[in-house]
């Protein structure tokens, strides 16, 4: 069991175990303004919303703000209801003088305003202090105005002229102040509960993580250990039906692994020694032994969670406009409320002073821009989580918003359109040599090479059961092939230049070689003692999903361009098979970035899809860079979107989600703007002269709360997109 040695004491190279949620090291951010980051809970100085953990924990943690608002709502709701009943005709049931009735309403409303509404006033003060007018500016001002006016009218009625009196007393609006507070609390409770559902996708991903791993010790014994005790290099056993604990490589065994929870693909993937496995995927019926290579925050699952959290908290370009509008909108609403009060005082019917206060408060409350501020962040949060469950990771909201406008997609060939793993295709032997002999000799000399083509040839020979000879000498001829001695014979394996160098003539197989290249294969010649023995063809198979992906992209109106470092003949062969619109072969990394820039200068909106280090410049230059999750870390860090499984069909899915998300944002923004455009004039009293309709602050508060809940509810529809 020496091959199982690998357990070691944790050293500096060991990754920190992947832990998420409230606790040490947790960062709290604002859902609407992700640039606000704090090491502890608090409130956003811009919008006043409670800060939330950047990444939620696996369990649905307590929400102190939700619990606090719910407690305040339920304790004060009876007082608000009783206050409304007294204001609507309490004199018929409670035989009190008008002034005494006002005092009773004061007693009922004071706990509501001074205790239940205290968080509102804290945020109101913060908005004034930070010069960031927001919804709490309007709510705090409206509640304070209604309550303060009513208190003064109750304890010092002599200060008010006749214009403020109704039924023998100064008209008071304690019930309006109380109901505004209660309805705002109710709206916040409903909104907070709905917002918590936007973290469902992240919690689902976190829930996939295995809790323990079965470690194989150097002496061959096995024990179950907590996942945080697994270290890089540990040898682990994954039994049938168990979750793969961490990322690593299979060293023994054979099984099918279900990767659907990360990639969205339902077909299990066959795993054999040398294959990579991803933590949190589910082993099938076979037993696997694996070496741990990435743990903690370095695993694919951890990185996916971090990317989703980052995308959910990022700001879409549309959000910047909404924030700008909301800032000045609050100032405009305060101005409208002042003008409304002045107009009612000047030309309104008696008691015009009471009507002036009532209408101004209604304007302040109904115009709260909460729905406007929530319109885009909620859509982004839900859509990012939905995309992750389909194997598509957006780095930020801008990519989510931009992808729908893409009209040109540049794709690399190797690893993007193809599997990126060469596979032996066929052998063409030149008599007197047979096919098996050509393959056996070529594989024998290739045992000393690490080139991907050599690995494909060696695997094919072993797959046929051919007995390979140990090369007596080996030399790599950079760029043209390899040389060696096998069974006393001089062997040369490489391109036509190497064949001619040793005195061989490729003419007998020239037709076969050209036909194979036209089919997209790479061709190597074998010479034995200077004589041509045959050729071997190795191909990089097209991914089974690629033809359907190209068709879907064409149906979406996207022009597909292939830019590859491979030879022109091979590139054109692949392009013909897939129906790709333009082909560029033998393209260097900087030339790919230049191609992106040239197409952009022609007015095209360009996306780039690739998986290698050589694609990184073009991925960064494109309007949207799309990395294959099966590729390099450099490519993924340069990209705006990552396809976890490297399946191009994800681009079509991501584009559809982008369209649905932006449409959802527009719906939310239009609703919020129409709501305010209609609500403010009605609250100001424009319908009163013609219809005698004057909006009560009670109804204004209800409408304001329901508008925010409606926006969040509409965003949650994206979970089914």
């Amino acid at each position: 069991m020496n091959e199982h040695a690998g357990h070691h004491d944790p050293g500096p190279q060991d990754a920190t175990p992947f832990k998420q949620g409230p606790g040490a090291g947790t960062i709290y951010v604002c859902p609407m303004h992700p640039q606000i980051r704090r090491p502890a809970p608090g409130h956003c100085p811009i919008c006043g919303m409670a800060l939330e953990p950047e990444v939620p924990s696996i369990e649905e943690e307590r929400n102190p703000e939700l619990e606090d608002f719910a407690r305040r709502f339920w304790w004060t709701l009876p007082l608000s209801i009783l206050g409304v009943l007294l204001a609507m005709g309490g004199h018929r049931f409670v035989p009190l003088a008008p002034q005494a009735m006002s005092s009773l309403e004061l007693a009922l409303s004071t706990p509501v305003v001074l205790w239940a509404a205290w968080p509102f006033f804290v945020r109101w003060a913060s908005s004034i202090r930070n010069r960031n007018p927001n919804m709490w500016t309007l709510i705090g001002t409206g509640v304070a105005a209604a309550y303060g006016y009513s208190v003064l009218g109750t304890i010092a009625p002599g200060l008010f002229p006749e214009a403020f009196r109704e039924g023998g007393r100064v008209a008071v609006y304690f019930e309006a102040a109380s109901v505004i507070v209660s309805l705002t609390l109710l709206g916040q409770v409903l909104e907070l509960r709905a917002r918590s559902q936007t973290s469902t996708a992240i919690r689902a991903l976190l829930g996939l993580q295995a809790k323990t791993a079965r470690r194989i010790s150097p002496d061959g014994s096995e024990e179950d250990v907590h996942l945080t005790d697994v270290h890089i290099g540990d040898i682990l056993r994954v039994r049938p039906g168990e979750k793969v604990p961490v990322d690593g490589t299979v060293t023994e065994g054979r099984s099918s692994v279900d990767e659907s929870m990360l990639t969205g693909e339902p077909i299990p993937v066959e795993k054999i020694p040398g294959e990579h496995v991803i933590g949190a995927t589910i082993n099938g019926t076979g037993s696997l032994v694996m070496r741990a290579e990435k743990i903690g925050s370095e695993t694919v699952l951890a990185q996916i969670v971090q990317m989703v959290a980052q995308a959910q908290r990022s700001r879409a370009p549309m959000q910047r406009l909404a924030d700008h509008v909301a800032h000045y909108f609050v100032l405009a609403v305060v101005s409208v409320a002042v003008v409304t009060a002045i107009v009612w005082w000047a030309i309104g019917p008696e008691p015009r002073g009471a009507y002036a206060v009532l209408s101004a408060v209604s304007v302040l409350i109904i115009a709260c821009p909460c729905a406007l501020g929530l319109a885009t962040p909620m859509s982004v949060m839900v859509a990012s989580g939905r995309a992750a469950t389909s194997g598509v990771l957006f780095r930020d909201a801008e990519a989510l918003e931009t992808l729908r406008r893409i009209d040109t997609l540049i794709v690399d060939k190797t690893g993007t359109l193809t599997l990126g793993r060469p596979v032996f295709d066929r052998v063409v032997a030149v008599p007197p040599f047979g096919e098996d002999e050509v393959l056996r000799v070529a594989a024998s000399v290739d045992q000393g090479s690490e080139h991907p083509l050599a690995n494909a040839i060696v695997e094919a020979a072993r797959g046929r059961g051919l007995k390979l000879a140990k090369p007596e000498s080996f030399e790599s001829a950079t760029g043209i092939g390899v040389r060696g001695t096998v069974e006393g014979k001089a062997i040369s394996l490489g391109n036509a230049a190497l064949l001619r160098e040793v005195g061989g003539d490729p003419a007998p197989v020239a037709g076969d070689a050209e036909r194979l290249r036209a089919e997209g294969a790479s061709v190597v010649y074998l010479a034995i003692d200077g004589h041509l023995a045959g050729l071997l063809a190795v191909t990089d198979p097209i991914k089974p999903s690629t033809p359907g992906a190209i068709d879907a992209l064409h149906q979406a109106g996207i022009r597909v361009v292939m830019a590859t470092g491979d030879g022109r003949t091979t590139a054109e062969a692949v392009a013909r098979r897939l129906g790709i619109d333009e082909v560029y072969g033998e393209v260097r990394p900087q030339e790919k970035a230049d191609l992106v820039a040239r197409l952009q200068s022609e007015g095209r909106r360009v996306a780039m899809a690739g998986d290698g280090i050589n694609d990184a410049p073009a991925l960064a230059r494109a309007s949207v860079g799309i990395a294959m999750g099966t590729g390099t870390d450099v490519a993924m860090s340069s990209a705006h979107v990552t396809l976890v499984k490297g399946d191009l069909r994800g681009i079509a899915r991501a584009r559809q989600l982008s369209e649905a998300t932006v449409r959802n944002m527009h719906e939310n923004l239009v609703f919020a703007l129409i709501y305010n455009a209609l609500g403010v004039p009605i609250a100001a009293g424009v319908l009163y002269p013609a219809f005698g309709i004057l909006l009560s602050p009670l109804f204004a508060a209800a409408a304001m709360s329901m508008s925010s809940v409606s926006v969040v509810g509409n965003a949650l529809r994206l979970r089914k997109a």
Side-chain angles (χ1 to χ4, degrees):
M1 299 293 288
N2 290 334
E3 70 272 20
H4 291 154
H7 175 54
H8 61 281
D9 293 329
Q13 71 271 35
D14 284 332
T16 301
F18 179 39
K19 296 180 181 178
Q20 298 294 349
T26 298
I27 298 298
Y28 293 81
V29 299
C30 173
M32 290 171 59
H33 301 92
Q35 70 271 28
I36 304 300
R37 299 168 61 83
R38 299 285 187 272
H43 296 97
C44 175
I46 299 176
C47 65
M49 293 183 70
L51 303 182
E52 300 175 352
E54 187 173 33
V55 179
S57 67
I58 222 173
E59 298 85 13
E60 189 164 353
E61 65 271 7
R62 291 176 56 251
N63 186 328
E65 184 182 45
L66 174 58
E67 294 176 357
D68 182 48
F69 279 1
R71 182 175 62 255
R72 292 173 188 269
F73 169 73
W74 289 112
W75 274 102
T76 57
L77 180 61
L79 299 178
S80 297
I81 293 175
L82 189 54
V84 170
L85 294 176
L86 290 176
M88 293 176 62
H91 62 279
R92 288 177 290 185
F93 308 103
V94 182
L96 292 176
Q99 201 62 32
M101 184 67 73
S102 296
S103 298
L104 178 58
E105 292 180 31
L106 168 61
L108 291 172
S109 65
T110 296
V112 178
V113 174
L114 298 187
W115 175 68
W118 182 250
F120 304 169
F121 291 125
V122 170
R123 299 178 191 189
W124 171 83
S126 177
S127 71
I128 301 299
R129 184 173 59 253
N130 295 317
R131 298 180 182 178
N132 283 307
N134 52 46
M135 65 171 285
W136 303 109
T137 310
L138 301 183
I139 291 175
T141 302
V143 172
Y147 179 76
Y149 156 79
S150 300
V151 169
L152 197 58
T154 300
I155 63 176
L159 298 177
F160 292 84
E162 195 62 34
F164 287 89
R165 298 180 180 277
E166 185 178 18
R169 65 168 177 164
V170 175
V172 294
Y173 298 105
F174 289 116
E175 85 286 353
S178 296
V179 171
I180 289 170
V181 172
S182 293
L183 288 176
T184 302
L185 286 169
L186 176 61
Q188 288 294 297
V189 168
L190 295 176
E191 180 188 317
L192 287 167
R193 285 179 177 169
R195 271 168 40 198
S196 68
Q197 297 180 42
T198 61
S199 299
T200 300
I202 292 183
R203 289 198 182 94
L205 288 171
L206 290 171
L208 299 175
Q209 190 177 24
K211 304 298 186 296
T212 61
R214 190 165 187 82
R215 184 165 59 201
I216 303 176
S217 301
D219 61 4
S221 62
E222 300 182 9
E223 63 172 336
D224 289 326
V225 297
H226 194 273
L227 202 62
T228 55
D229 293 326
V230 174
H231 306 295
I232 295 173
D234 281 355
I235 301 300
L236 310 173
R237 184 179 300 281
V238 187
R239 292 167 293 191
E242 289 185 335
K243 290 182 178 180
V244 176
V246 294
D247 296 3
T249 300
V250 176
T251 59
E252 292 181 22
R254 186 186 191 100
S255 184
S256 294
V257 176
D258 181 358
E259 299 181 342
S260 60
M261 69 286 293
L262 295 180
T263 65
E265 295 299 319
I267 301 175
V269 181
E270 189 75 13
K271 300 294 182 181
I272 59 176
E275 294 274 356
H276 292 287
V277 286
I278 302 171
T281 54
I282 301 175
N283 186 24
T285 56
S287 178
L288 296 175
V289 175
M290 61 172 287
R291 178 182 296 106
E293 294 177 344
K294 290 184 178 180
I295 62 175
S297 59
E298 300 301 316
T299 63
V300 169
L301 176 63
Q303 292 176 3
I304 288 174
V305 170
Q306 293 291 350
M307 288 186 69
V308 174
Q310 178 182 337
Q312 287 189 338
R313 304 303 183 189
S314 62
R315 302 176 69 195
M318 205 179 298
Q319 175 64 24
R320 289 192 283 271
L321 175 61
D323 286 348
H324 188 72
V325 170
H327 177 85
Y328 290 101
F329 179 76
V330 172
L331 299 178
V333 168
V334 173
S335 301
V336 170
V338 172
V339 171
T340 297
I342 293 173
V343 170
W344 273 97
W345 174 260
I347 62 174
E350 295 295 345
R352 62 180 186 274
Y355 283 144
V357 173
L358 185 74
S359 299
V361 170
S362 294
V363 168
L364 290 172
I365 299 303
I366 202 169
C368 283
C370 186
L372 185 63
L374 288 170
T376 62
M378 291 300 105
S379 299
V380 169
M381 292 179 73
V382 177
S384 299
R386 177 67 186 90
T389 61
S390 298
V392 180
L393 306 178
F394 287 95
R395 189 175 73 187
D396 51 39
E398 185 170 359
L400 180 59
E401 185 175 332
T402 303
L403 187 59
R404 81 190 199 285
R405 296 198 294 264
I406 294 302
D407 56 27
T408 302
L409 174 66
I410 300 176
V411 293
D412 178 42
K413 180 182 79 71
T414 305
T416 302
L417 299 175
T418 65
L419 292 174
R421 185 175 64 250
V423 175
F424 176 77
D425 183 5
R426 71 190 76 173
V427 58
V428 177
V430 175
F433 301 100
E435 291 185 3
D436 282 354
E437 180 63 10
V438 170
L439 178 59
R440 186 186 73 83
V441 173
S444 295
V445 74
D446 257 343
Q447 290 179 97
S449 174
E450 296 181 354
H451 195 282
L453 296 184
N455 292 336
I457 291 171
V458 172
E459 286 183 10
R462 288 173 175 163
R464 292 190 184 186
L466 302 178
K467 186 176 181 180
L468 305 186
K470 184 177 181 179
E472 296 147 27
S473 66
F474 175 82
E475 176 190 357
S476 176
T478 304
I480 57 175
V482 297
R483 298 187 184 94
T485 303
V486 176
E487 297 174 338
K489 299 176 182 178
I491 308 300
S492 300
L493 181 67
N495 61 17
L498 177 62
L499 179 64
R500 294 190 183 96
E501 186 179 298
V502 299
D505 182 7
V509 291
D512 294 303
E514 188 58 31
R515 186 181 71 257
L516 289 167
R517 289 194 189 98
E519 294 175 1
S522 297
V523 173
V524 291
Y525 299 91
L526 176 70
I528 300 178
D529 288 334
H531 299 288
L532 175 67
L535 64 79
L536 301 97
V538 177
T539 62
D540 185 4
I542 292 173
K543 293 178 181 178
S545 61
T546 297
I550 299 297
D551 289 343
L553 291 167
H554 281 152
Q555 291 174 13
I558 297 177
R559 184 173 183 80
V560 182
V561 179
M562 183 169 72
T564 177
D566 285 1
R568 180 84 185 181
T569 301
T570 301
E572 289 180 341
V574 173
R576 280 194 302 272
R577 290 176 61 184
L578 295 174
I580 290 175
D581 303 296
E582 293 180 45
V583 187
Y584 297 88
E586 300 177 1
V587 179
R588 291 190 287 270
Q590 186 55 46
E591 291 174 337
K592 289 185 180 181
D594 294 341
L595 175 61
V596 171
R598 179 171 66 79
L599 292 174
Q600 288 174 329
S601 69
E602 296 173 1
R604 292 186 174 275
R605 297 184 180 92
V606 182
M608 168 72 194
D611 75 326
I613 294 175
N614 61 327
D615 298 316
L619 290 170
R621 182 69 179 82
S623 301
V624 178
I626 303 169
M628 303 293 110
T630 51
T632 64
D633 292 340
V634 173
M636 285 184 275
S637 64
S638 303
H640 307 94
V641 180
T642 298
L643 306 180
V644 175
K645 193 60 178 176
D647 185 345
L648 281 179
R649 288 177 298 184
I651 297 178
R653 293 198 299 267
R655 193 170 185 271
Q656 291 172 349
L657 183 61
S658 173
E659 291 175 344
T661 302
V662 172
R663 184 166 58 248
N664 192 270
M665 290 179 185
H666 286 154
E667 291 168 355
N668 286 344
L669 287 171
V670 168
F671 172 80
L673 292 172
I674 289 178
Y675 159 80
N676 283 296
L678 295 176
V680 171
I682 293 174
V686 296
L687 298 180
Y688 187 83
F691 304 101
I693 297 176
L694 187 61
L695 189 66
S696 165
L698 282 65
F699 293 103
M704 178 270 295
S705 298
M706 290 304 103
S707 67
S708 300
V709 175
S710 298
V711 164
V712 175
N714 188 51
L716 290 174
R717 292 193 303 115
L718 287 171
R719 291 187 298 178
K720 299 180 180 179

